[in-house]
Amino acid sequence: MANEKTFSIIKPNATLDNNIGNIISIFEKNDLRVSAAKFAQLSKEKAEGFYIEHKDRPFFGELVDFMTSGPVLLMVLEGDNAVTKNRELMGATNPAEAAEGTIRKLYAKSIGENAVHGSDSAQSAEREISYFFEKNEIVDRF
């Protein structure tokens, strides 16, 4: 197993529904450690930049509007195979298709308001982490 870092966002619907602790608890119970975290209210420009790969998709505007609609918790998670483990814990993008016990099954309201974001690869994790965090804001836990 390889120790690695991944990026996670607890999205506005989950922060506003007071599920931050519940979601972090799922990460921690599954051996992912929080090595950086901060609240943010994303600006339109910051959200557009983060989701730039979706710019030409029909849901882009709705996604940006949602991600700027309330506070988010930005996190760096660390652990063995963190990217894969986080993706498994999140569950399918569509909460109706997500496995029982996954974060999206428990806390998502819809495909659009799906509670959490997680990096889909080590390369994405590196880019996403550096988009929101300076190196000195991340504490190595291992």
Short mmCIF file of all heavy atoms in Angstrom, two decimals, residues 53-122:
data_model
loop_
_atom_site.label_atom_id
_atom_site.label_comp_id
_atom_site.label_asym_id
_atom_site.label_seq_id
_atom_site.Cartn_x
_atom_site.Cartn_y
_atom_site.Cartn_z
N GLU A 53 -12.29 22.13 -16.29
CA GLU A 53 -12.42 21.02 -17.24
C GLU A 53 -13.87 20.75 -17.63
O GLU A 53 -14.14 20.08 -18.62
CB GLU A 53 -11.78 19.73 -16.70
CG GLU A 53 -12.51 19.11 -15.53
CD GLU A 53 -12.04 19.61 -14.17
OE1 GLU A 53 -11.33 20.61 -14.10
OE2 GLU A 53 -12.43 18.99 -13.17
N HIS A 54 -14.82 21.30 -16.85
CA HIS A 54 -16.25 21.13 -17.16
C HIS A 54 -16.85 22.35 -17.87
O HIS A 54 -18.06 22.39 -18.08
CB HIS A 54 -17.04 20.86 -15.88
CG HIS A 54 -16.61 19.63 -15.15
ND1 HIS A 54 -16.59 18.38 -15.72
CD2 HIS A 54 -16.17 19.46 -13.88
CE1 HIS A 54 -16.17 17.49 -14.84
NE2 HIS A 54 -15.90 18.12 -13.72
N LYS A 55 -16.02 23.31 -18.23
CA LYS A 55 -16.51 24.58 -18.75
C LYS A 55 -17.49 24.45 -19.92
O LYS A 55 -18.45 25.21 -20.01
CB LYS A 55 -15.33 25.46 -19.17
CG LYS A 55 -15.73 26.86 -19.59
CD LYS A 55 -14.52 27.73 -19.82
CE LYS A 55 -14.86 29.11 -20.29
NZ LYS A 55 -15.69 29.89 -19.43
N ASP A 56 -17.28 23.49 -20.80
CA ASP A 56 -18.13 23.35 -21.97
C ASP A 56 -19.32 22.41 -21.76
O ASP A 56 -20.09 22.16 -22.69
CB ASP A 56 -17.30 22.87 -23.17
CG ASP A 56 -16.27 23.90 -23.58
OD1 ASP A 56 -16.56 25.11 -23.46
OD2 ASP A 56 -15.17 23.51 -24.01
N ARG A 57 -19.48 21.91 -20.57
CA ARG A 57 -20.59 21.01 -20.28
C ARG A 57 -21.83 21.81 -19.87
O ARG A 57 -21.72 22.89 -19.27
CB ARG A 57 -20.20 20.02 -19.19
CG ARG A 57 -19.07 19.11 -19.65
CD ARG A 57 -18.95 17.92 -18.80
NE ARG A 57 -17.99 16.98 -19.35
CZ ARG A 57 -17.55 15.96 -18.69
NH1 ARG A 57 -17.97 15.71 -17.46
NH2 ARG A 57 -16.68 15.14 -19.24
N PRO A 58 -23.00 21.29 -20.14
CA PRO A 58 -24.23 22.05 -19.87
C PRO A 58 -24.48 22.35 -18.39
O PRO A 58 -25.16 23.31 -18.07
CB PRO A 58 -25.34 21.16 -20.45
CG PRO A 58 -24.73 19.84 -20.71
CD PRO A 58 -23.26 20.01 -20.82
N PHE A 59 -23.90 21.57 -17.50
CA PHE A 59 -24.14 21.77 -16.06
C PHE A 59 -23.15 22.72 -15.40
O PHE A 59 -23.25 22.98 -14.20
CB PHE A 59 -24.13 20.42 -15.32
CG PHE A 59 -22.81 19.67 -15.43
CD1 PHE A 59 -21.75 19.97 -14.59
CD2 PHE A 59 -22.66 18.67 -16.37
CE1 PHE A 59 -20.54 19.29 -14.68
CE2 PHE A 59 -21.45 17.97 -16.47
CZ PHE A 59 -20.40 18.28 -15.62
N PHE A 60 -22.20 23.26 -16.17
CA PHE A 60 -21.13 24.08 -15.60
C PHE A 60 -21.67 25.26 -14.79
O PHE A 60 -21.26 25.47 -13.64
CB PHE A 60 -20.18 24.57 -16.70
CG PHE A 60 -19.04 25.40 -16.19
CD1 PHE A 60 -17.99 24.82 -15.50
CD2 PHE A 60 -19.00 26.77 -16.42
CE1 PHE A 60 -16.93 25.57 -15.03
CE2 PHE A 60 -17.94 27.54 -15.95
CZ PHE A 60 -16.91 26.94 -15.26
N GLY A 61 -22.56 26.03 -15.34
CA GLY A 61 -23.10 27.20 -14.64
C GLY A 61 -23.82 26.83 -13.36
O GLY A 61 -23.65 27.48 -12.32
N GLU A 62 -24.59 25.77 -13.43
CA GLU A 62 -25.31 25.29 -12.25
C GLU A 62 -24.33 24.81 -11.17
O GLU A 62 -24.52 25.05 -9.97
CB GLU A 62 -26.25 24.14 -12.66
CG GLU A 62 -27.13 23.64 -11.56
CD GLU A 62 -28.07 22.56 -12.06
OE1 GLU A 62 -28.62 22.68 -13.18
OE2 GLU A 62 -28.24 21.57 -11.32
N LEU A 63 -23.26 24.13 -11.58
CA LEU A 63 -22.24 23.66 -10.66
C LEU A 63 -21.56 24.84 -9.96
O LEU A 63 -21.40 24.84 -8.74
CB LEU A 63 -21.20 22.82 -11.41
CG LEU A 63 -19.99 22.34 -10.62
CD1 LEU A 63 -20.40 21.44 -9.46
CD2 LEU A 63 -19.02 21.60 -11.55
N VAL A 64 -21.17 25.83 -10.72
CA VAL A 64 -20.52 27.02 -10.14
C VAL A 64 -21.47 27.73 -9.19
O VAL A 64 -21.08 28.11 -8.07
CB VAL A 64 -20.01 27.96 -11.25
CG1 VAL A 64 -19.57 29.30 -10.68
CG2 VAL A 64 -18.86 27.30 -12.02
N ASP A 65 -22.73 27.89 -9.59
CA ASP A 65 -23.72 28.53 -8.71
C ASP A 65 -23.85 27.76 -7.40
O ASP A 65 -23.90 28.36 -6.32
CB ASP A 65 -25.08 28.62 -9.39
CG ASP A 65 -25.14 29.64 -10.51
OD1 ASP A 65 -24.21 30.48 -10.61
OD2 ASP A 65 -26.10 29.60 -11.29
N PHE A 66 -23.93 26.45 -7.48
CA PHE A 66 -24.06 25.63 -6.27
C PHE A 66 -22.83 25.77 -5.39
O PHE A 66 -22.93 25.96 -4.17
CB PHE A 66 -24.30 24.16 -6.63
CG PHE A 66 -24.17 23.23 -5.46
CD1 PHE A 66 -25.00 23.35 -4.36
CD2 PHE A 66 -23.22 22.22 -5.46
CE1 PHE A 66 -24.88 22.50 -3.27
CE2 PHE A 66 -23.10 21.36 -4.39
CZ PHE A 66 -23.93 21.50 -3.29
N MET A 67 -21.64 25.66 -5.98
CA MET A 67 -20.41 25.68 -5.18
C MET A 67 -20.14 27.05 -4.55
O MET A 67 -19.35 27.16 -3.62
CB MET A 67 -19.22 25.23 -6.03
CG MET A 67 -19.28 23.74 -6.38
SD MET A 67 -19.33 22.64 -4.95
CE MET A 67 -17.68 22.90 -4.26
N THR A 68 -20.79 28.09 -5.04
CA THR A 68 -20.63 29.43 -4.46
C THR A 68 -21.83 29.80 -3.57
O THR A 68 -21.89 30.90 -3.05
CB THR A 68 -20.45 30.48 -5.55
OG1 THR A 68 -21.58 30.47 -6.43
CG2 THR A 68 -19.18 30.24 -6.35
N SER A 69 -22.77 28.87 -3.39
CA SER A 69 -24.01 29.17 -2.66
C SER A 69 -23.88 29.13 -1.15
O SER A 69 -24.78 29.57 -0.43
CB SER A 69 -25.11 28.20 -3.10
OG SER A 69 -24.84 26.89 -2.63
N GLY A 70 -22.78 28.60 -0.65
CA GLY A 70 -22.60 28.51 0.79
C GLY A 70 -21.18 28.09 1.10
O GLY A 70 -20.37 27.86 0.20
N PRO A 71 -20.86 27.96 2.39
CA PRO A 71 -19.50 27.60 2.77
C PRO A 71 -19.16 26.17 2.38
O PRO A 71 -20.03 25.30 2.32
CB PRO A 71 -19.52 27.76 4.29
CG PRO A 71 -20.94 27.60 4.69
CD PRO A 71 -21.75 28.13 3.53
N VAL A 72 -17.88 25.96 2.11
CA VAL A 72 -17.35 24.62 1.85
C VAL A 72 -16.19 24.38 2.82
O VAL A 72 -15.58 25.32 3.32
CB VAL A 72 -16.86 24.46 0.39
CG1 VAL A 72 -18.01 24.60 -0.60
CG2 VAL A 72 -15.75 25.44 0.05
N LEU A 73 -15.91 23.12 3.06
CA LEU A 73 -14.73 22.75 3.84
C LEU A 73 -13.77 22.07 2.89
O LEU A 73 -14.07 21.01 2.33
CB LEU A 73 -15.08 21.83 5.01
CG LEU A 73 -13.89 21.45 5.89
CD1 LEU A 73 -13.30 22.70 6.57
CD2 LEU A 73 -14.30 20.41 6.93
N LEU A 74 -12.63 22.71 2.68
CA LEU A 74 -11.57 22.19 1.81
C LEU A 74 -10.63 21.37 2.67
O LEU A 74 -10.22 21.83 3.75
CB LEU A 74 -10.81 23.36 1.18
CG LEU A 74 -11.66 24.42 0.49
CD1 LEU A 74 -10.84 25.67 0.20
CD2 LEU A 74 -12.27 23.86 -0.78
N MET A 75 -10.27 20.17 2.21
CA MET A 75 -9.41 19.31 3.02
C MET A 75 -8.38 18.56 2.19
O MET A 75 -8.65 18.22 1.03
CB MET A 75 -10.25 18.26 3.76
CG MET A 75 -11.18 18.81 4.80
SD MET A 75 -12.06 17.49 5.67
CE MET A 75 -13.08 16.85 4.35
N VAL A 76 -7.26 18.28 2.83
CA VAL A 76 -6.30 17.33 2.31
C VAL A 76 -6.40 16.11 3.22
O VAL A 76 -6.30 16.23 4.44
CB VAL A 76 -4.87 17.90 2.33
CG1 VAL A 76 -3.88 16.85 1.84
CG2 VAL A 76 -4.78 19.17 1.51
N LEU A 77 -6.66 14.97 2.61
CA LEU A 77 -6.74 13.71 3.34
C LEU A 77 -5.50 12.89 3.02
O LEU A 77 -5.01 12.91 1.89
CB LEU A 77 -7.99 12.93 2.95
CG LEU A 77 -9.32 13.65 3.13
CD1 LEU A 77 -10.46 12.79 2.57
CD2 LEU A 77 -9.56 13.99 4.59
N GLU A 78 -5.03 12.15 4.00
CA GLU A 78 -3.81 11.39 3.84
C GLU A 78 -4.01 9.98 4.36
O GLU A 78 -4.70 9.77 5.37
CB GLU A 78 -2.71 12.09 4.63
CG GLU A 78 -1.36 11.49 4.53
CD GLU A 78 -0.31 12.30 5.28
OE1 GLU A 78 -0.64 13.32 5.90
OE2 GLU A 78 0.85 11.88 5.24
N GLY A 79 -3.43 9.01 3.66
CA GLY A 79 -3.49 7.62 4.11
C GLY A 79 -3.07 6.68 3.01
O GLY A 79 -2.73 7.11 1.90
N ASP A 80 -3.09 5.39 3.32
CA ASP A 80 -2.75 4.39 2.31
C ASP A 80 -3.79 4.42 1.20
O ASP A 80 -4.99 4.34 1.47
CB ASP A 80 -2.70 3.00 2.94
CG ASP A 80 -1.48 2.81 3.83
OD1 ASP A 80 -0.47 3.49 3.60
OD2 ASP A 80 -1.55 1.98 4.75
N ASN A 81 -3.31 4.58 -0.02
CA ASN A 81 -4.19 4.61 -1.20
C ASN A 81 -5.35 5.58 -1.00
O ASN A 81 -6.52 5.27 -1.26
CB ASN A 81 -4.70 3.21 -1.54
CG ASN A 81 -3.56 2.28 -1.88
OD1 ASN A 81 -2.72 2.60 -2.72
ND2 ASN A 81 -3.49 1.14 -1.21
N ALA A 82 -5.03 6.78 -0.55
CA ALA A 82 -6.04 7.77 -0.17
C ALA A 82 -6.99 8.13 -1.31
O ALA A 82 -8.19 8.30 -1.07
CB ALA A 82 -5.35 9.04 0.36
N VAL A 83 -6.50 8.24 -2.52
CA VAL A 83 -7.37 8.62 -3.65
C VAL A 83 -8.46 7.57 -3.84
O VAL A 83 -9.65 7.89 -3.86
CB VAL A 83 -6.57 8.83 -4.95
CG1 VAL A 83 -7.50 9.03 -6.14
CG2 VAL A 83 -5.61 10.02 -4.81
N THR A 84 -8.05 6.32 -3.95
CA THR A 84 -9.01 5.23 -4.18
C THR A 84 -9.94 5.07 -2.99
O THR A 84 -11.16 4.92 -3.15
CB THR A 84 -8.26 3.92 -4.45
OG1 THR A 84 -7.46 4.10 -5.63
CG2 THR A 84 -9.21 2.77 -4.67
N LYS A 85 -9.39 5.11 -1.79
CA LYS A 85 -10.20 4.93 -0.60
C LYS A 85 -11.26 6.03 -0.49
O LYS A 85 -12.43 5.77 -0.20
CB LYS A 85 -9.33 4.91 0.65
CG LYS A 85 -10.10 4.55 1.91
CD LYS A 85 -9.20 4.45 3.11
CE LYS A 85 -8.41 3.16 3.03
NZ LYS A 85 -7.60 2.93 4.23
N ASN A 86 -10.85 7.27 -0.73
CA ASN A 86 -11.80 8.38 -0.67
C ASN A 86 -12.90 8.21 -1.71
O ASN A 86 -14.08 8.43 -1.41
CB ASN A 86 -11.08 9.72 -0.85
CG ASN A 86 -12.01 10.89 -0.71
OD1 ASN A 86 -12.93 10.90 0.12
ND2 ASN A 86 -11.78 11.92 -1.50
N ARG A 87 -12.56 7.80 -2.92
CA ARG A 87 -13.56 7.60 -3.96
C ARG A 87 -14.56 6.52 -3.54
O ARG A 87 -15.76 6.66 -3.76
CB ARG A 87 -12.91 7.21 -5.29
CG ARG A 87 -11.89 8.20 -5.84
CD ARG A 87 -12.46 9.47 -6.36
NE ARG A 87 -13.30 9.25 -7.52
CZ ARG A 87 -14.00 10.20 -8.12
NH1 ARG A 87 -13.96 11.43 -7.65
NH2 ARG A 87 -14.74 9.94 -9.17
N GLU A 88 -14.08 5.47 -2.93
CA GLU A 88 -14.96 4.40 -2.46
C GLU A 88 -15.88 4.90 -1.35
O GLU A 88 -17.07 4.58 -1.34
CB GLU A 88 -14.14 3.21 -1.97
CG GLU A 88 -13.43 2.47 -3.08
CD GLU A 88 -12.42 1.46 -2.58
OE1 GLU A 88 -12.20 1.34 -1.34
OE2 GLU A 88 -11.81 0.78 -3.43
N LEU A 89 -15.34 5.67 -0.42
CA LEU A 89 -16.14 6.19 0.69
C LEU A 89 -17.19 7.18 0.21
O LEU A 89 -18.28 7.25 0.79
CB LEU A 89 -15.24 6.85 1.73
CG LEU A 89 -14.28 5.92 2.47
CD1 LEU A 89 -13.32 6.74 3.34
CD2 LEU A 89 -15.04 4.91 3.30
N MET A 90 -16.88 7.95 -0.84
CA MET A 90 -17.84 8.92 -1.35
C MET A 90 -19.03 8.23 -1.99
O MET A 90 -20.17 8.66 -1.82
CB MET A 90 -17.19 9.83 -2.40
CG MET A 90 -16.24 10.84 -1.82
SD MET A 90 -15.71 12.09 -3.02
CE MET A 90 -15.31 11.17 -4.48
N GLY A 91 -18.80 7.19 -2.76
CA GLY A 91 -19.88 6.51 -3.48
C GLY A 91 -20.12 7.16 -4.84
O GLY A 91 -19.50 8.16 -5.20
N ALA A 92 -21.04 6.60 -5.57
CA ALA A 92 -21.37 7.07 -6.92
C ALA A 92 -21.85 8.52 -6.90
O ALA A 92 -22.47 8.96 -5.93
CB ALA A 92 -22.42 6.18 -7.55
N THR A 93 -21.57 9.25 -7.97
CA THR A 93 -21.99 10.64 -8.10
C THR A 93 -23.49 10.79 -7.90
O THR A 93 -23.95 11.72 -7.24
CB THR A 93 -21.59 11.20 -9.48
OG1 THR A 93 -20.17 11.05 -9.62
CG2 THR A 93 -21.94 12.66 -9.61
N ASN A 94 -24.25 9.88 -8.45
CA ASN A 94 -25.70 9.88 -8.28
C ASN A 94 -26.02 9.15 -6.98
O ASN A 94 -25.79 7.94 -6.87
CB ASN A 94 -26.37 9.17 -9.45
CG ASN A 94 -27.88 9.17 -9.36
OD1 ASN A 94 -28.45 9.47 -8.32
ND2 ASN A 94 -28.53 8.82 -10.44
N PRO A 95 -26.54 9.85 -5.98
CA PRO A 95 -26.78 9.20 -4.69
C PRO A 95 -27.76 8.02 -4.78
O PRO A 95 -27.69 7.10 -3.98
CB PRO A 95 -27.32 10.31 -3.81
CG PRO A 95 -27.74 11.39 -4.74
CD PRO A 95 -26.91 11.25 -5.98
N ALA A 96 -28.62 8.03 -5.78
CA ALA A 96 -29.55 6.91 -5.96
C ALA A 96 -28.81 5.63 -6.35
O ALA A 96 -29.31 4.52 -6.12
CB ALA A 96 -30.60 7.25 -7.02
N GLU A 97 -27.62 5.78 -6.93
CA GLU A 97 -26.82 4.64 -7.34
C GLU A 97 -25.68 4.33 -6.37
O GLU A 97 -24.96 3.35 -6.54
CB GLU A 97 -26.23 4.90 -8.73
CG GLU A 97 -27.29 5.07 -9.81
CD GLU A 97 -26.71 5.52 -11.14
OE1 GLU A 97 -25.48 5.71 -11.26
OE2 GLU A 97 -27.51 5.71 -12.07
N ALA A 98 -25.52 5.15 -5.36
CA ALA A 98 -24.42 4.98 -4.40
C ALA A 98 -24.70 3.81 -3.47
O ALA A 98 -25.85 3.55 -3.09
CB ALA A 98 -24.23 6.27 -3.61
N ALA A 99 -23.65 3.13 -3.10
CA ALA A 99 -23.77 1.99 -2.18
C ALA A 99 -24.20 2.47 -0.80
O ALA A 99 -23.88 3.59 -0.38
CB ALA A 99 -22.44 1.25 -2.10
N GLU A 100 -24.90 1.59 -0.10
CA GLU A 100 -25.33 1.89 1.27
C GLU A 100 -24.10 2.22 2.12
O GLU A 100 -23.05 1.59 1.99
CB GLU A 100 -26.07 0.70 1.88
CG GLU A 100 -27.42 0.44 1.26
CD GLU A 100 -28.41 1.59 1.41
OE1 GLU A 100 -28.41 2.26 2.46
OE2 GLU A 100 -29.18 1.83 0.46
N GLY A 101 -24.26 3.21 2.98
CA GLY A 101 -23.19 3.60 3.89
C GLY A 101 -22.18 4.57 3.34
O GLY A 101 -21.34 5.07 4.08
N THR A 102 -22.23 4.83 2.02
CA THR A 102 -21.30 5.80 1.45
C THR A 102 -21.77 7.22 1.78
O THR A 102 -22.94 7.45 2.10
CB THR A 102 -21.16 5.64 -0.07
OG1 THR A 102 -22.43 5.85 -0.69
CG2 THR A 102 -20.61 4.25 -0.43
N ILE A 103 -20.85 8.16 1.69
CA ILE A 103 -21.16 9.55 2.04
C ILE A 103 -22.30 10.09 1.18
O ILE A 103 -23.22 10.73 1.70
CB ILE A 103 -19.89 10.42 1.91
CG1 ILE A 103 -18.86 9.99 2.96
CG2 ILE A 103 -20.22 11.90 2.04
CD1 ILE A 103 -17.47 10.55 2.75
N ARG A 104 -22.25 9.83 -0.10
CA ARG A 104 -23.30 10.37 -0.98
C ARG A 104 -24.65 9.70 -0.74
O ARG A 104 -25.68 10.36 -0.85
CB ARG A 104 -22.86 10.29 -2.43
CG ARG A 104 -21.76 11.30 -2.73
CD ARG A 104 -21.28 11.22 -4.15
NE ARG A 104 -20.36 12.31 -4.45
CZ ARG A 104 -19.40 12.22 -5.35
NH1 ARG A 104 -19.22 11.10 -6.03
NH2 ARG A 104 -18.61 13.25 -5.58
N LYS A 105 -24.65 8.44 -0.40
CA LYS A 105 -25.91 7.77 -0.08
C LYS A 105 -26.51 8.39 1.18
O LYS A 105 -27.72 8.60 1.27
CB LYS A 105 -25.69 6.27 0.11
CG LYS A 105 -26.96 5.49 0.26
CD LYS A 105 -27.76 5.53 -1.03
CE LYS A 105 -28.76 4.41 -1.12
NZ LYS A 105 -29.39 4.37 -2.45
N LEU A 106 -25.66 8.71 2.13
CA LEU A 106 -26.11 9.25 3.41
C LEU A 106 -26.47 10.73 3.37
O LEU A 106 -27.43 11.15 4.02
CB LEU A 106 -25.03 9.02 4.48
CG LEU A 106 -24.75 7.57 4.86
CD1 LEU A 106 -23.46 7.49 5.67
CD2 LEU A 106 -25.92 6.99 5.62
N TYR A 107 -25.69 11.55 2.62
CA TYR A 107 -25.79 12.99 2.77
C TYR A 107 -26.07 13.80 1.50
O TYR A 107 -26.31 15.00 1.59
CB TYR A 107 -24.53 13.54 3.45
CG TYR A 107 -24.28 12.86 4.77
CD1 TYR A 107 -23.19 12.03 4.96
CD2 TYR A 107 -25.17 13.03 5.83
CE1 TYR A 107 -22.97 11.39 6.17
CE2 TYR A 107 -24.96 12.40 7.05
CZ TYR A 107 -23.86 11.58 7.21
OH TYR A 107 -23.66 10.94 8.40
N ALA A 108 -26.03 13.18 0.34
CA ALA A 108 -26.31 13.91 -0.90
C ALA A 108 -27.80 14.12 -1.06
O ALA A 108 -28.61 13.30 -0.62
CB ALA A 108 -25.75 13.16 -2.10
N LYS A 109 -28.16 15.22 -1.72
CA LYS A 109 -29.56 15.50 -2.02
C LYS A 109 -29.92 15.15 -3.46
O LYS A 109 -31.07 14.89 -3.77
CB LYS A 109 -29.85 16.98 -1.77
CG LYS A 109 -29.75 17.36 -0.31
CD LYS A 109 -30.09 18.82 -0.11
CE LYS A 109 -30.09 19.14 1.37
NZ LYS A 109 -30.44 20.53 1.62
N SER A 110 -28.91 15.19 -4.33
CA SER A 110 -29.13 14.95 -5.76
C SER A 110 -27.77 14.77 -6.42
O SER A 110 -26.74 14.90 -5.76
CB SER A 110 -29.86 16.14 -6.39
OG SER A 110 -29.02 17.29 -6.35
N ILE A 111 -27.78 14.51 -7.72
CA ILE A 111 -26.51 14.43 -8.46
C ILE A 111 -25.76 15.75 -8.32
O ILE A 111 -24.55 15.76 -8.12
CB ILE A 111 -26.75 14.09 -9.94
CG1 ILE A 111 -27.29 12.68 -10.09
CG2 ILE A 111 -25.46 14.24 -10.75
CD1 ILE A 111 -27.69 12.31 -11.51
N GLY A 112 -26.45 16.86 -8.44
CA GLY A 112 -25.80 18.17 -8.35
C GLY A 112 -25.36 18.52 -6.94
O GLY A 112 -24.29 19.07 -6.73
N GLU A 113 -26.20 18.22 -5.97
CA GLU A 113 -25.88 18.50 -4.56
C GLU A 113 -25.45 17.20 -3.89
O GLU A 113 -26.14 16.65 -3.04
CB GLU A 113 -27.09 19.12 -3.86
CG GLU A 113 -27.44 20.49 -4.39
CD GLU A 113 -28.55 21.16 -3.60
OE1 GLU A 113 -28.71 20.90 -2.39
OE2 GLU A 113 -29.28 21.95 -4.22
N ASN A 114 -24.27 16.72 -4.32
CA ASN A 114 -23.85 15.39 -3.92
C ASN A 114 -22.89 15.35 -2.73
O ASN A 114 -22.16 14.38 -2.55
CB ASN A 114 -23.29 14.62 -5.12
CG ASN A 114 -22.07 15.28 -5.73
OD1 ASN A 114 -21.49 16.17 -5.16
ND2 ASN A 114 -21.69 14.81 -6.90
N ALA A 115 -22.89 16.39 -1.92
CA ALA A 115 -22.25 16.44 -0.60
C ALA A 115 -20.73 16.58 -0.59
O ALA A 115 -20.21 17.30 0.25
CB ALA A 115 -22.68 15.26 0.26
N VAL A 116 -20.03 15.87 -1.47
CA VAL A 116 -18.57 15.87 -1.40
C VAL A 116 -17.94 15.82 -2.79
O VAL A 116 -18.55 15.33 -3.74
CB VAL A 116 -18.03 14.68 -0.57
CG1 VAL A 116 -18.28 14.88 0.91
CG2 VAL A 116 -18.60 13.37 -1.05
N HIS A 117 -16.73 16.30 -2.85
CA HIS A 117 -15.88 16.16 -4.03
C HIS A 117 -14.63 15.44 -3.57
O HIS A 117 -14.15 15.64 -2.46
CB HIS A 117 -15.48 17.53 -4.60
CG HIS A 117 -14.32 17.45 -5.54
ND1 HIS A 117 -14.48 17.18 -6.88
CD2 HIS A 117 -12.98 17.54 -5.33
CE1 HIS A 117 -13.29 17.14 -7.46
NE2 HIS A 117 -12.37 17.35 -6.54
N GLY A 118 -14.09 14.60 -4.44
CA GLY A 118 -12.81 13.96 -4.18
C GLY A 118 -12.02 13.81 -5.45
O GLY A 118 -12.58 13.55 -6.52
N SER A 119 -10.73 13.96 -5.34
CA SER A 119 -9.84 13.82 -6.50
C SER A 119 -10.02 12.45 -7.13
O SER A 119 -10.20 11.45 -6.44
CB SER A 119 -8.38 13.99 -6.09
OG SER A 119 -8.17 15.23 -5.48
N ASP A 120 -9.92 12.40 -8.48
CA ASP A 120 -10.11 11.13 -9.17
C ASP A 120 -8.80 10.44 -9.54
O ASP A 120 -8.81 9.34 -10.09
CB ASP A 120 -10.98 11.31 -10.41
CG ASP A 120 -10.39 12.24 -11.45
OD1 ASP A 120 -9.24 12.68 -11.30
OD2 ASP A 120 -11.09 12.54 -12.44
N SER A 121 -7.67 11.07 -9.24
CA SER A 121 -6.36 10.46 -9.52
C SER A 121 -5.31 11.18 -8.68
O SER A 121 -5.56 12.26 -8.15
CB SER A 121 -6.00 10.60 -11.00
OG SER A 121 -5.77 11.97 -11.33
N ALA A 122 -4.14 10.58 -8.60
CA ALA A 122 -3.04 11.22 -7.87
C ALA A 122 -2.66 12.56 -8.53
O ALA A 122 -2.35 13.53 -7.84
CB ALA A 122 -1.84 10.29 -7.81
#
